[in-house]
Amino acid sequence: MRQNPARRAALLDGAIEVLAREGARGLTQRAVDKEAGVPIGTASNYFRNRDDLLVQAGARVYERLRPEENALTEMFDQARDAASYGVMLRESVGRVAAFPSGHLALLELRLEATRRPDLRTLLTERVRADIDENVTRHEAAGLPGGATAVLLMYLAMNWLIVEQLTLPDVFTDAERDQLVVQAVERIVGPFLTATK
């Protein structure tokens, strides 16, 4: 297998775009080569087979969506009340919305995971790790609601993102913002005076 990291990243980014546009059925090594603008046959030098390509594309989406560590720390440090917590969530939704092909590719990968055990294992581990990290950061920041609030917000925000990416005209921007505010108030609970 080839080890040029920049070429591998370009191929995986091409795979993400193919998944988002054509779905998992359209994901072939030839389609990835074409999307990445590389000679036909290049993807086969980097990925053993289609399953390998799917698994690595899933990992690449998470790599691109994850904010830098200092940005994560800053987001949780600034969440001191319902309004700032809502801002943090809207920024998270905005980050995903700014990379729509990534989230659409993840939706395709989730569907494929029902048929591919290796992909299901990867996605399960990544999602569980993200949830656990969010719970840990939430609790370390002294935010109200505990683990249950984090899980409920995770589920609510994920569906809001799906709605925004797949049927963007169901809710206006103002309605989406208000839904985030209401979710924070109803799920996370009352914020006490920050003690930091």
Side-chain angles (χ1 to χ4, degrees):
M1 292 287 149
R2 297 278 172 95
Q3 297 301 316
N4 179 332
R7 176 67 58 94
R8 179 180 295 279
L11 290 165
L12 290 171
D13 290 343
I16 290 166
E17 296 303 319
V18 171
L19 279 167
R21 186 178 58 248
E22 299 176 32
R25 292 181 64 168
L27 185 71
T28 64
Q29 290 181 337
R30 180 178 283 272
V32 170
D33 288 338
K34 184 177 177 185
E35 184 70 29
V38 298
I40 298 301
T42 302
S44 64
N45 292 324
Y46 285 83
F47 310 104
R48 291 185 309 275
N49 52 38
R50 190 167 179 272
D51 283 350
D52 185 35
L53 180 59
L54 284 165
V55 167
Q56 290 193 45
R60 176 69 174 159
V61 171
Y62 275 97
E63 180 183 309
R64 288 185 58 189
L65 282 174
R66 182 174 173 77
E68 297 293 324
E69 181 63 31
N70 59 346
L72 277 170
T73 300
E74 185 177 323
M75 285 190 297
F76 277 91
D77 284 348
Q78 292 178 358
R80 296 289 98 197
D81 54 28
S84 58
Y85 195 93
V87 167
M88 179 179 74
L89 290 174
R90 284 193 299 279
E91 286 175 1
S92 295
V93 169
R95 188 174 55 256
V96 172
F99 180 33
S101 57
H103 200 75
L104 292 171
L106 267 181
L107 293 174
E108 286 291 332
L109 289 168
R110 282 177 175 241
L111 292 172
E112 276 298 300
T114 64
R115 297 175 284 279
R116 299 176 186 279
D118 288 347
L119 185 57
R120 182 185 347 221
T121 298
L122 169 82
L123 292 178
T124 299
E125 289 171 357
R126 291 304 297 254
V127 169
R128 187 72 244 181
D130 285 348
I131 290 170
D132 291 345
E133 180 183 7
N134 281 324
V135 169
T136 299
R137 287 179 183 276
H138 182 95
E139 290 175 342
L143 299 171
T148 300
V150 174
L151 298 176
L152 291 171
M153 290 304 296
Y154 163 79
L155 294 170
M157 292 303 104
N158 269 324
W159 196 256
L160 182 65
I161 291 166
V162 168
E163 199 75 31
Q164 184 172 343
L165 293 177
T166 61
L167 300 171
D169 298 326
V170 170
F171 300 112
T172 66
D173 290 345
E175 287 173 318
R176 278 191 294 271
D177 286 348
Q178 187 57 34
L179 287 168
V180 171
V181 168
Q182 289 297 311
V184 170
E185 290 177 5
R186 294 174 188 217
I187 295 172
V188 178
F191 281 75
L192 302 174
T193 304
T195 57
K196 215 171 169 197

Short mmCIF file of all heavy atoms in Angstrom, two decimals, residues 135 139 145-154 187:
data_model
loop_
_atom_site.label_atom_id
_atom_site.label_comp_id
_atom_site.label_asym_id
_atom_site.label_seq_id
_atom_site.Cartn_x
_atom_site.Cartn_y
_atom_site.Cartn_z
N VAL A 135 -19.54 14.19 27.32
CA VAL A 135 -20.02 14.05 28.71
C VAL A 135 -18.92 14.49 29.67
O VAL A 135 -19.16 15.27 30.61
CB VAL A 135 -20.48 12.61 29.01
CG1 VAL A 135 -20.70 12.41 30.50
CG2 VAL A 135 -21.74 12.27 28.22
N GLU A 139 -19.27 17.71 32.14
CA GLU A 139 -19.20 17.57 33.60
C GLU A 139 -18.00 18.32 34.18
O GLU A 139 -18.11 18.96 35.23
CB GLU A 139 -19.19 16.10 33.98
CG GLU A 139 -20.53 15.44 33.71
CD GLU A 139 -20.56 13.93 33.96
OE1 GLU A 139 -19.46 13.31 34.03
OE2 GLU A 139 -21.67 13.38 34.08
N GLY A 145 -27.25 19.33 34.15
CA GLY A 145 -27.93 18.31 33.36
C GLY A 145 -27.24 16.97 33.32
O GLY A 145 -27.87 15.96 33.08
N GLY A 146 -25.93 16.94 33.49
CA GLY A 146 -25.20 15.68 33.52
C GLY A 146 -25.21 14.93 32.20
O GLY A 146 -25.53 15.47 31.14
N ALA A 147 -24.88 13.66 32.29
CA ALA A 147 -24.73 12.81 31.10
C ALA A 147 -26.02 12.68 30.31
O ALA A 147 -26.00 12.70 29.08
CB ALA A 147 -24.22 11.43 31.51
N THR A 148 -27.14 12.59 31.01
CA THR A 148 -28.41 12.43 30.30
C THR A 148 -28.70 13.64 29.42
O THR A 148 -29.14 13.50 28.28
CB THR A 148 -29.56 12.20 31.29
OG1 THR A 148 -29.29 11.01 32.03
CG2 THR A 148 -30.89 12.07 30.59
N ALA A 149 -28.43 14.83 29.92
CA ALA A 149 -28.64 16.04 29.11
C ALA A 149 -27.76 16.03 27.87
O ALA A 149 -28.20 16.39 26.78
CB ALA A 149 -28.38 17.29 29.95
N VAL A 150 -26.51 15.61 28.04
CA VAL A 150 -25.60 15.57 26.90
C VAL A 150 -26.13 14.59 25.84
O VAL A 150 -26.14 14.89 24.65
CB VAL A 150 -24.17 15.17 27.34
CG1 VAL A 150 -23.26 14.98 26.13
CG2 VAL A 150 -23.59 16.22 28.28
N LEU A 151 -26.59 13.42 26.27
CA LEU A 151 -27.12 12.43 25.33
C LEU A 151 -28.36 12.95 24.62
O LEU A 151 -28.50 12.78 23.39
CB LEU A 151 -27.43 11.12 26.06
CG LEU A 151 -26.24 10.42 26.71
CD1 LEU A 151 -26.71 9.19 27.49
CD2 LEU A 151 -25.19 10.05 25.68
N LEU A 152 -29.26 13.57 25.35
CA LEU A 152 -30.47 14.11 24.73
C LEU A 152 -30.15 15.24 23.76
O LEU A 152 -30.74 15.33 22.67
CB LEU A 152 -31.46 14.57 25.80
CG LEU A 152 -32.10 13.45 26.63
CD1 LEU A 152 -32.87 14.03 27.80
CD2 LEU A 152 -32.98 12.56 25.75
N MET A 153 -29.18 16.10 24.12
CA MET A 153 -28.78 17.18 23.21
C MET A 153 -28.10 16.61 21.97
O MET A 153 -28.32 17.11 20.86
CB MET A 153 -27.85 18.17 23.92
CG MET A 153 -28.55 19.01 24.99
SD MET A 153 -29.97 19.95 24.40
CE MET A 153 -29.20 21.06 23.25
N TYR A 154 -27.30 15.58 22.16
CA TYR A 154 -26.65 14.91 21.02
C TYR A 154 -27.71 14.42 20.03
O TYR A 154 -27.61 14.66 18.83
CB TYR A 154 -25.80 13.75 21.54
CG TYR A 154 -25.40 12.75 20.48
CD1 TYR A 154 -24.36 13.00 19.61
CD2 TYR A 154 -26.10 11.54 20.35
CE1 TYR A 154 -24.01 12.09 18.63
CE2 TYR A 154 -25.75 10.63 19.37
CZ TYR A 154 -24.71 10.90 18.51
OH TYR A 154 -24.39 10.00 17.54
N ILE A 187 -33.78 20.76 28.17
CA ILE A 187 -33.02 19.52 28.38
C ILE A 187 -31.88 19.71 29.37
O ILE A 187 -31.69 18.91 30.27
CB ILE A 187 -32.48 18.98 27.03
CG1 ILE A 187 -33.65 18.57 26.13
CG2 ILE A 187 -31.52 17.82 27.26
CD1 ILE A 187 -33.24 18.20 24.71
#
